[in-house]
Amino acid sequence: MDYVNLGRSGLKVSRLCLGTMNFGPVTGEEDSFTIMDRAHELGINFFDTANVYGWKQGEGITEKILGNWFAKGGGRREKTVVATKLYGSMGDWPNDNLLSALNIRRACDASLKRMRTDYIDIYQAHHVDRSTPFDEFWEAMEVLRQQGKILYVGSSNFAGWHIAKAQETAARRGTFGLVSEQSHYNLLTREVELEVLPACADYGLGVIPWSPLAGGLLGGVLRKTDKGRSATENMVKELDKHRDKIERYEKFCDELGEEPAYVALAWLLTRPAVTAPIIGPRTVEQLDGTLRTLEVTLDEQALARLDEIFPGHRTAPEDYAW
């Protein structure tokens, strides 16, 4: 396993990030434990979660599974760089969501309790909160850092100008600012190339792409449907919309002799500012297979072919102006 610095920080993380969103709703606790133990065996030290995962309001099911796993000891917590998120609603009262100083304080304490740990490595805003000034956001995060409850702050789903505003506010306050940005980024969804990736590169944020396989569309979906495996109604709609590109993509992967999922992940690892795509295995077998990603090499000709199938964006404003 290769390890790289997360953005401009000194924090070393694996080039694949274990996403835990399936833990609870899809994968039971014991199987989740097995996947996390296997991730450590494979050298993956970077785990991502969120207080809303588990999808039962206020329960934080996925964070609790992580906490129960940490409680098993054996250096599990010490070996893990854990990132969690706040923003989504954890209750029915007005201050049970978003990024007010009040919710930041309460949400952090609740996540610490569920995960049975006394600190969070990377505390992330799950979305931008336009109703909360960045000065308030940073003051609350500074207090948490001073208390030793968090080490780094990250963002998710921020626009380029949100990142710039957050970083300039942090600089004015004399603090480190954001260390990472989680963005929706894959071969089919490349809008972040306009301004988010350039902003992250300029300000020194590590990008952590979520949905790297476009909800399964880039994971060999045609092969699966050909074999009679079920697909959701939404998957069928998206496949119909992008069928021509997916057909060309899977044919190209055959030419490379590689699985589509591993090509899609390997492509992300070639992108500017990208630190580690988030993988969400439901089984140990899926996790083991994903390690093939780190062995896939895409030369300039292969990258050009992928750009031809899935056209991307140049940095704004050149993408749409002279």
Side-chain angles (χ1 to χ4, degrees):
M1 178 60 62
D2 291 329
Y3 301 92
V4 294
N5 290 74
L6 180 60
R8 68 195 186 286
S9 78
L11 184 66
K12 296 283 190 179
V13 296
S14 49
R15 293 233 69 189
L16 295 174
C17 177
L18 181 69
T20 64
M21 192 169 65
N22 288 323
F23 294 176
V26 177
T27 305
E29 182 166 281
E30 287 303 318
D31 288 338
S32 299
F33 288 177
T34 302
I35 289 172
M36 289 187 283
D37 282 334
R38 181 59 177 159
H40 272 186
E41 290 174 7
L42 296 171
I44 297 174
N45 73 333
F46 192 14
F47 293 11
D48 176 73
T49 190
N51 60 357
V52 294
Y53 289 174
W55 312 118
K56 290 187 178 180
Q57 189 183 59
E59 295 192 20
I61 292 171
T62 304
E63 284 188 333
K64 287 179 180 177
I65 290 174
L66 277 161
N68 293 340
W69 182 70
F70 288 148
K72 291 166 66 72
R76 287 175 171 84
R77 176 64 187 97
E78 292 77 11
K79 295 174 184 176
T80 304
V81 174
V82 63
T84 193
K85 301 184 282 292
L86 82 152
Y87 176 91
S89 180
M90 294 295 285
D92 296 325
W93 284 76
N95 294 302
D96 290 339
N97 61 359
L98 305 181
L99 301 178
S100 69
L102 178 58
N103 188 49
I104 287 173
R105 173 178 175 172
R106 289 176 174 173
C108 181
D109 286 343
S111 287
L112 290 170
K113 183 176 180 180
R114 285 189 291 267
M115 292 195 292
R116 303 197 195 188
T117 184
D118 57 1
Y119 71 98
I120 294 164
D121 296 279
I122 309 164
Y123 201 35
Q124 305 163 112
H126 211 159
H127 204 282
V128 66
D129 178 6
R130 296 176 177 85
S131 64
T132 299
F134 275 111
D135 273 313
E136 178 180 348
F137 170 81
W138 281 122
E139 182 176 31
M141 291 297 185
E142 289 159 18
V143 169
L144 294 180
R145 285 196 72 181
Q146 290 162 3
Q147 293 173 336
K149 294 179 179 180
I150 67 172
L151 300 182
Y152 299 94
V153 180
S155 60
S156 181
N157 304 307
F158 275 30
W161 75 273
H162 296 138
I163 291 168
K165 191 168 185 180
Q167 296 303 79
E168 294 303 324
T169 304
R172 189 178 69 245
R173 299 178 64 88
T175 61
F176 192 68
L178 300 171
V179 72
S180 61
E181 158 62 22
Q182 273 194 39
S183 285
H184 188 193
Y185 189 29
N186 54 58
L187 279 163
L188 272 169
T189 307
R190 299 181 59 170
E191 285 78 7
V192 293
E193 294 171 350
L194 285 163
E195 300 196 29
V196 174
L197 294 192
C200 289
D202 191 68
Y203 283 107
L205 277 66
V207 176
I208 312 166
W210 61 265
S211 194
L213 301 183
L217 286 176
L218 298 170
V221 63
L222 293 178
R223 308 170 189 206
K224 296 172 184 176
T225 54
D226 287 346
K227 293 178 181 178
R229 291 174 59 175
S230 62
T232 64
E233 183 179 347
N234 184 60
M235 171 73 79
V236 172
K237 287 182 179 178
E238 288 299 306
L239 178 56
D240 288 343
K241 187 191 307 182
H242 301 290
R243 180 173 291 274
D244 177 62
K245 291 181 179 180
I246 299 301
E247 286 177 348
R248 293 167 61 197
Y249 174 63
E250 293 198 12
K251 182 180 179 181
F252 177 55
C253 291
D254 286 338
E255 293 173 13
L256 292 175
E258 299 288 354
E259 290 295 320
Y262 309 152
V263 173
L265 291 167
W267 175 81
L268 280 170
L269 291 175
T270 70
R271 300 297 88 192
V274 168
T275 297
I278 298 173
I279 57 173
R282 297 185 296 276
T283 65
V284 169
E285 291 72 25
Q286 288 180 345
L287 175 60
D288 285 346
T290 304
L291 265 290
R292 171 61 188 164
T293 298
L294 303 177
E295 300 172 4
V296 175
T297 299
L298 300 173
D299 60 21
E300 291 302 318
Q301 185 176 359
L303 294 172
R305 183 78 176 275
L306 290 170
D307 280 338
E308 179 185 321
I309 298 170
F310 302 105
H313 295 276
R314 291 186 297 162
T315 300
E318 287 83 358
D319 189 77
Y320 48 78
W322 56 269

